[in-house]
């Protein structure tokens, strides 16, 4: 269900290779209290720096707009600041569809239908990361 749209998913790893996970807030409309990747959201039109990439940027393997969007949302959801967009590794894009039957039952009108850009970020030795979750977005985090 729903119109397909662009999205991104961030997989953020510490220096030991552990993945930072988040548990979505109980107040979220979709997938409330579900444990998920580090951060996921949507690139927005009209943002500065730009968040929407041309087909050429994606085909070249450097969708910098989506990386800029990831920096914005990591700050908004998790209070993470200071990440360099150029250090995100663009892994691939996937066509993703999921209905939120856990929250809304088998006839759920809510879910996702996305072309999802998968991004990875590896912290470097000595690099410190402060995580301060926004309670309206995230109820818990774990490595």
């Amino acid at each position: 269900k729903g119109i397909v749209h662009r999205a991104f998913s961030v997989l953020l790893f510490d220096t030991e290779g552990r993945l930072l996970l988040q548990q979505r807030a109980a107040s979220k409309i979709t997938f409330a209290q579900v444990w998920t990747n580090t951060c996921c959201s949507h690139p927005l039109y009209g943002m500065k720096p730009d968040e929407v990439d041309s087909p050429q940027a994606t085909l070249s393997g450097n969708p910098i707009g989506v990386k800029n969007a990831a920096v914005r949302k990591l700050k908004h959801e998790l209070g993470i600041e200071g990440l360099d967009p150029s250090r995100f590794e663009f892994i691939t894009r996937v066509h993703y569809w999921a209905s939120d039957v856990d929250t809304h039952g088998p006839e759920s009108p809510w879910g996702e239908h996305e072309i999802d850009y998968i991004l990875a970020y590896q912290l470097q030795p000595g690099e410190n990361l402060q995580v301060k979750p926004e309670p309206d977005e995230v109820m818990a985090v774990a490595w």
Side-chain angles (χ1 to χ4, degrees):
K1 298 177 184 179
I3 298 171
V4 68
H5 56 278
R6 291 182 190 179
F8 62 86
S9 293
V10 175
L11 307 170
L12 191 147
F13 297 91
D14 69 7
T15 57
E16 298 173 27
R18 298 179 303 167
L19 174 62
L20 179 62
L21 299 173
Q22 70 158 277
Q23 185 180 23
R24 293 170 55 87
S27 61
K28 299 294 283 184
I29 293 172
T30 56
F31 303 101
Q33 300 182 17
V34 171
W35 282 94
T36 185
N37 55 31
T38 309
C39 178
C40 52
S41 190
H42 308 93
L44 301 177
Y45 284 94
M47 299 298 288
K48 294 295 177 203
D50 288 335
E51 295 186 359
V52 178
D53 293 294
S54 68
Q56 295 78 13
T58 301
L59 291 173
S60 74
N62 188 28
I64 191 66
V66 170
K67 296 175 183 183
N68 290 331
V71 168
R72 173 181 55 80
K73 282 306 284 186
L74 284 162
K75 180 178 179 184
H76 173 244
E77 290 187 3
L78 295 165
I80 297 173
E81 298 190 67
L83 298 182
D84 178 355
S86 69
R87 287 191 36 213
F88 283 89
E89 182 72 26
F90 170 55
I91 307 299
T92 192
R93 292 183 304 172
V94 296
H95 182 191
Y96 169 76
W97 179 88
S99 181
D100 186 6
V101 296
D102 288 341
T103 307
H104 301 285
E107 299 301 318
S108 174
W110 299 101
E112 296 290 359
H113 188 193
E114 302 170 332
I115 301 300
D116 196 5
Y117 289 62
I118 311 301
L119 303 173
Y121 196 99
Q122 175 78 52
L123 296 177
Q124 297 175 345
E127 190 172 9
N128 294 320
L129 182 74
Q130 291 195 350
V131 180
K132 299 178 226 163
E134 166 57 47
D136 291 334
E137 297 286 336
V138 178
M139 65 186 303
V141 295
W143 288 99

